[in-house]
Amino acid sequence: MRVNQHPFRHEAMSPAFDISDVGPAQSSEHSSTVVHRPSLASIKSSRIRDENGSSPIGRDQKPYVRFIILSLGCTVLVGNCYGYDLPAAISVTLQEHFGLEQSRWEWFESSFFSAYSLPNIFLPIYGGHLVDKYLTDSAWLSIFAISQLFGHLCFCIGLSTKSVFLSIIGRILFGIGGESLSVAELAFALGVNFSVSKCGSVLNDVISPYAVANFGVHACIWMSLVVCAVSALMALALAKVDHSVGSNAPKYQALGGAYELREENSRETDNVGNSSNAAQPEKTNFFQSLRSFSPLIWIMSVVVLLVGGIVVPFMVIHTEFFKYRWYPNDAETAGQIMAIPDAMSVVLVPFFGLASDYIGRRPHIIGIASLLIGIDLFIIGVLGTATLIPWLILLGFAFSLVTLLFPCFPKLADKENTGAVFGLLAVVRNFGWTVLPMITAQLIVWDPTYSLALLQFSLSAFTGAGVTYAVWKLDRFYNGTPGILEKPEFG
């Protein structure tokens, strides 16, 4: 069982915004890349099996059980994405509900998202050890589901009663559970997992502004709890199925976004059914693994912070920004229009991930996507434009492309350090999503026209494009021409 983060938060975490592009290394120096992500064609033509010829979800499981696990795993995060995005979609109404002036509200709203990410800066470092040492995967999955649901319940009560303290506590608990709840059976399913879970963001973009405009803020808040409850029930059902069928295949798991490859003990079974554990490799801790990382991994982490870090702060302010610039008398439309780039991510991310497997050239694609994001945000935020929708379409396209950042990490790590490299990715990403919303809030306090905040976003994206160019050159320097990140997986 593997547990993961919202796409862009996901980030799912995604998912292309995920580890679904992990594949065999293309050079002898990196022959230990961990998991082969089959193409759609290879999935149809062959079944992935363990060394004994058994199905990855259990030795004697029927195909429909595999489908059930994949379906449940893909729908678990819908409620998390819905609840996570809720404050941003109805921020204008929430500000009126709390009766706060603009400067105080910007800090308050940003704190919702910082509180979600804050515990997940630290959980990747120690979470994998906790999951390995205590309880079972099914038990942890149930705990994550309960934490997510209870956290969002506290958040809803805090919003309804105008309690800042309870709202923040709820978001922390919601983050601990929600960031760990994306479950996928095998790596190739994660692109689908991201797309389905991102549907929660699209639903929130469309439903929440409509609900708050037609039924009031309280109805909208408690409606989000119902959506989260449904996803929590899906997670509990998945835990039940996982407990029932068991699994003897290699599994990815995480607590708070820390990915660890857990290979079940290799067993040699004799004719009378007895088994013995094979020798297990010596484990290294997270900090020991950090010392062995190549410079490319650290530089790629900077790109994640510069480019991936833009996504959440922009999402936090989008409703107020769109209302201020384009929809001064229509908060509902200002909240709903963000569904355009979110819906594009749902459709495009899996296809971009698959396409990158065949064409490679990931540094080129990521660099171009970063430039497009920088240009787009500079035009809508600094130069100004009379029409918004074409630029949102371009933004959705670029955001979908930039998710190819995340599959690059396992390609640069040795097999024994794969868990640690995803742990580092989770730490960097959540650090950015904790700090950057607060920086953005201060920029808006200084400049209520949002130009300064959007200028910061665009400069960050341009800088990210420059750092990606450095990654490309260094990849060729260390790994030859073409570099590891340039090579396709297939073809």
Side-chain angles (χ1 to χ4, degrees), residues 34-353:
V34 290
V35 178
H36 173 64
R37 175 181 183 265
S39 66
L40 294 180
S42 66
I43 293 171
K44 293 178 180 178
S45 62
S46 64
R47 294 284 304 276
I48 302 174
R49 296 179 178 273
D50 66 10
E51 68 275 12
N52 297 307
S54 301
S55 168
I57 63 171
R59 295 188 180 278
D60 298 313
Q61 293 307 319
K62 298 178 180 179
Y64 74 85
V65 179
R66 177 185 176 88
F67 175 77
I68 290 173
I69 290 181
L70 288 175
S71 300
L72 290 173
C74 287
T75 55
V76 160
L77 262 194
V78 171
N80 184 69
C81 291
Y82 191 103
Y84 180 85
D85 294 348
L86 177 69
I90 61 171
S91 60
V92 173
T93 305
L94 283 179
Q95 180 185 352
E96 297 171 355
H97 173 67
F98 278 91
L100 298 176
E101 60 184 19
Q102 183 69 19
S103 58
R104 289 191 62 196
W105 172 250
E106 292 297 338
W107 282 100
F108 188 25
E109 183 185 17
S110 296
S111 69
F112 290 155
F113 295 89
S114 296
Y116 181 99
S117 296
L118 179 62
N120 296 299
I121 298 175
F122 307 101
L123 284 175
I125 300 175
Y126 305 105
H129 173 72
L130 292 174
V131 171
D132 277 340
K133 188 172 182 180
Y134 303 103
L135 306 179
T136 63
D137 287 346
S138 301
W140 279 113
L141 184 56
S142 300
I143 291 171
F144 297 150
I146 294 170
S147 174
Q148 179 210 36
L149 183 58
F150 181 71
H152 196 63
L153 172 62
C154 293
F155 179 65
C156 291
I157 294 174
L159 291 183
S160 296
T161 60
K162 304 180 184 179
S163 171
V164 176
F165 176 77
L166 188 57
S167 299
I168 298 300
I169 293 298
R171 289 292 280 193
I172 292 174
L173 294 174
F174 184 61
I176 292 173
E179 193 75 356
S180 303
L181 256 186
S182 177
V183 180
E185 183 203 353
L186 285 172
F188 72 80
L190 294 178
V192 179
N193 184 303
F194 169 74
S195 290
V196 175
S197 65
K198 192 65 177 173
C199 289
S201 295
V202 178
L203 290 173
N204 177 70
D205 292 333
V206 175
I207 295 174
S208 292
Y210 176 83
V212 80
N214 292 275
F215 306 109
V217 65
H218 294 285
C220 179
I221 291 170
W222 292 104
M223 186 184 300
S224 70
L225 182 66
V226 174
V227 179
C228 286
V230 172
S231 283
L233 290 175
M234 295 298 101
L236 293 174
L238 182 57
K240 177 65 175 177
V241 173
D242 179 67
H243 177 74
S244 299
V245 303
S247 177
N248 57 1
K251 299 188 290 185
Y252 278 94
Q253 73 169 28
L255 177 59
Y259 299 80
E260 287 192 20
L261 179 65
R262 295 180 62 211
E263 294 193 21
E264 302 294 329
N265 297 336
S266 299
R267 299 183 181 272
E268 297 178 356
T269 306
D270 57 28
N271 292 333
V272 295
N274 296 322
S275 62
S276 60
N277 290 346
Q280 298 186 39
E282 181 182 353
K283 291 186 178 181
T284 58
N285 65 38
F286 179 75
F287 295 103
Q288 289 174 329
S289 298
L290 291 181
R291 291 195 290 268
S292 66
F293 285 173
S294 71
L296 279 173
I297 292 176
W298 294 103
I299 298 173
M300 284 295 292
S301 299
V302 175
V303 180
V304 170
L305 191 61
L306 289 170
V307 183
I310 295 173
V311 178
V312 168
F314 180 75
M315 185 268 293
V316 171
I317 68 169
H318 79 270
T319 300
E320 299 106 308
F321 173 54
F322 295 161
K323 182 177 182 294
Y324 178 82
R325 291 287 182 91
W326 290 277
Y327 305 100
N329 301 311
D330 191 354
E332 181 179 349
T333 301
Q336 289 177 327
I337 201 168
M338 192 63 185
I340 294 175
D342 284 341
M344 291 182 66
S345 295
V346 171
V347 176
L348 294 179
V349 165
F351 291 101
F352 285 162

